[in-house]
Amino acid sequence: MATGYVYHELYGWHDTGTHAGLLPADPRRGLQPHRHFENAEAKRRVHELVVVSGLIDRLTRLRPRPASDEEILRVHTAAHLARLASGSDAGDGGSPFGPGGLDIARLAAGGVIAAAESVVDGEVDNAYALVRPPGHHALPDTGMGFCLLANIAIAVAAVRATRGVRRVAVVDIDVHHGNGTQAVFAADPDVLTVSVHQERVFPPDSGHRTERGEGAGFGSAVNVPLPPGTGNGGYAAAMARVVVPALERFAPDLVIVAAGYDAGATDPLARMMVTASGFRAIASSLIEAAGRLCAGRIVFAHEGGYDPVYVPFCAHAVIEALAGVTEPLPDPFSPNFDFMAGQDLQPHQEEAIAAAEALLADIPG
Ligand code: 3YP
Ligand code: ZN
């Protein structure tokens, strides 16, 4: 059992600069300069915990390479690539980058490509790509929501083009809607995109259950918007009743997970309650499904998650699940978060899940 692991120091050098969280600092509006929410800390501290805990010794280090123009242009327009080469924001005014930002974005997309190729080639059984900047909001012609390049979409396109992989399922558990990945493959019945997210957070007016794919791809986009306050019980039910059955029906050759941790109990950018044990359970259900459906071929690509103190424990639990660790690192915050009222499935969450269950019948099998 070998689990691939991608990380590179340059991921921490992607410079989102001085910001007021997600807005450009502007004293005239009372916006005191601070850090951008998407700064290096949360992800760098995931890597450092993986090293300090010793988990790194159970992983197979994979070397990321920069995604080439050819790989990027399978998904993005030449105009978007040119903007990243010369500009300082990916397109929406909230996705800044410093000098050399495109080089680091290439290395992030290339990190997910390397992870997917290694799994498809059988060099490792599964993999975790701890990349930065994130990618799931990026559209063919623009970045958005802290994302420069559509890392996962680029990796999907790469293994389909060069490895003969046909059917890929992307499961997005970031708390925000995976609109970019969905848009890239909306008309493609051979790529299933499933996004589980907090209802109507970001992008605004996106991720509705009624977004189901287009044309020949109808049914291949599945959205599971959940109410604010959803915790471990609600997520477990969404996995068991919608996401795993969706994978069973679609029967992928490869699963890629957009692994965001901003559904975590302490995240500043959303209002969910998932804990490290909840993320472990979510990951285990996906790993188990991939084991039954596609010889265990599953790749996790890191996306959002903005509490630098808690994200490391959540991601560490997921990487442990991938590596089949039997004596996991205890979550020191478990007494604080696992027993909060509302962690179990609530009736209004159950309603949202039941509504999403109705989408299963139209998934192309
Ligand atoms: C982008 C601007 C406001 C919310 C923010 C979301 C970024 C993110 O974590 N996406 O997955
Ligand atoms: Zn997010």
Side-chain angles (χ1 to χ4, degrees), residues 22 136-137 145-146 174 176 202 262 306:
L22 57 92
H136 72 149
H137 295 309
F146 316 162
D174 188 284
H176 304 102
F202 186 84
D262 34 20
Y306 306 101

Side-chain angles (χ1 to χ4, degrees), residues 32-271:
Q32 182 177 353
H34 190 65
R35 288 189 300 188
H36 194 285
F37 279 121
E38 208 295 296
N39 61 70
E41 279 292 278
K43 286 150 194 165
R44 185 185 281 148
R45 288 169 62 114
V46 171
H47 175 68
E48 293 196 4
L49 184 60
V50 166
V51 172
V52 167
S53 73
L55 178 56
I56 191 83
D57 298 329
R58 312 187 52 154
L59 304 173
T60 301
R61 197 73 184 257
L62 303 176
R63 180 171 286 281
R65 57 175 171 81
S68 66
D69 285 1
E70 184 187 0
E71 288 169 325
I72 292 167
L73 293 172
R74 287 191 190 111
V75 167
H76 291 286
T77 61
H80 179 55
L81 188 53
R83 168 185 16 226
L84 295 180
S86 62
S88 58
D89 186 278
D92 67 346
S95 310
F97 56 86
L102 172 58
D103 298 341
I104 304 178
R106 283 184 191 274
L107 201 61
V112 182
I113 296 172
E117 287 179 347
S118 297
V119 168
V120 169
D121 293 348
E123 291 163 11
V124 294
D125 296 293
N126 55 33
Y128 194 97
L130 176 52
V131 298
R132 179 172 178 267
H136 72 149
H137 295 309
L139 295 164
D141 63 348
T142 187
M144 70 184 289
F146 316 162
C147 301
L148 278 60
L149 294 173
N151 301 331
I152 290 176
I154 290 169
V156 169
V159 292
R160 294 175 86 209
T162 68
R163 299 296 197 275
V165 174
R166 201 164 77 88
R167 293 168 74 76
V168 183
V170 180
V171 176
D172 191 316
I173 61 164
D174 188 284
V175 81
H176 304 102
H177 178 223
N179 64 298
T181 325
Q182 174 181 297
V184 170
F185 300 112
D188 190 336
D190 287 328
V191 179
L192 173 70
T193 60
V194 183
S195 180
V196 183
H197 46 267
Q198 183 180 333
E199 184 169 15
R200 267 193 299 113
V201 176
F202 186 84
D205 201 24
S206 182
H208 306 291
R209 268 192 307 271
T210 49
E211 298 169 23
R212 305 185 60 183
E214 284 148 28
F218 179 81
S220 73
V222 174
N223 283 289
V224 190
L226 297 173
T230 302
N232 293 340
Y235 270 84
M239 300 310 293
R241 287 177 47 187
V242 184
V243 180
V244 169
L247 293 175
E248 284 165 351
R249 185 169 167 94
F250 181 74
D253 302 317
L254 170 70
V255 177
I256 303 190
V257 183
Y261 298 91
D262 34 20
T266 58
D267 198 89
L269 283 181
R271 288 295 173 270

Side-chain angles (χ1 to χ4, degrees), residues 1-4 126-128 283 287 298-300 317-325:
M1 182 74 189
T3 295
N126 55 33
Y128 194 97
I287 294 161
I298 188 166
V299 174
F300 284 65
V318 167
I319 302 169
E320 284 175 336
L322 266 176
V325 170

